[in-house]
Amino acid sequence: MAPPPIRGLDHVVLAARDMAAMLAFYEGVLGCPLERKLDGIGLHQLRAGGQLIDLIPADAPAVRAARNMDHFCLRLDTWDEPALRAHLAAHGVAAGPTERRYGAEGDGPSIYIEDPEGNVVELKGPPD
């Protein structure tokens, strides 16, 4: 039996202890618009290009207690490092050094940042 054909990532779910801070970061800093909200479970779904970043309260029954994710990567359409760093700094977000890293489309520039809950987010530019 052949494995299923994988098209790509659909969404990432992050448990949020401070939903307001997480929404401010993903909406305000990274520009991911709120697409859908399910008040019954406190879920906020934010559009990140063709994928979603889901934020759910950390105390929701469906949240697993242990974390096991190192980071996730958001692919940027363009790479203007001075503008990106200035934008992040204006929002009080510290960015690590720019390094060339391999991703789904090949090697390209990327930096690591952290969201308000300490999740590591890689921001990756177009491949070389």
Side-chain angles (χ1 to χ4, degrees):
M1 180 176 234
I6 295 176
R7 180 182 182 132
L9 292 177
D10 184 83
H11 66 277
V12 174
V13 181
L14 300 175
R17 291 183 301 268
D18 184 341
M19 187 63 75
M22 292 290 274
L23 287 168
F25 179 80
Y26 286 98
E27 285 185 287
V29 177
L30 295 183
C32 299
L34 180 65
E35 182 165 305
R36 186 170 170 245
K37 183 178 175 187
L38 298 178
D39 290 323
I41 59 172
L43 178 70
H44 294 77
Q45 295 182 297
L46 303 144
R47 177 61 54 186
Q51 292 72 40
L52 294 172
I53 297 173
D54 293 354
L55 303 176
I56 190 161
D59 59 359
V63 174
R64 293 167 185 81
R67 290 187 178 196
N68 64 355
M69 180 179 70
D70 180 69
H71 75 278
F72 68 93
C73 179
L74 296 175
R75 166 66 157 75
L76 306 181
D77 283 331
T78 61
W79 186 260
D80 180 345
E81 185 174 352
L84 176 60
R85 287 187 177 281
H87 174 75
L88 293 171
H91 290 279
V93 178
T98 298
E99 295 186 21
R100 302 211 95 51
R101 295 184 177 94
Y102 186 77
E105 299 175 342
D107 287 312
S110 78
I111 58 173
Y112 289 130
I113 60 174
E114 288 188 6
D115 72 15
E117 301 276 340
N119 296 298
V120 177
V121 181
E122 180 181 354
L123 300 177
K124 188 161 187 346
D128 301 332

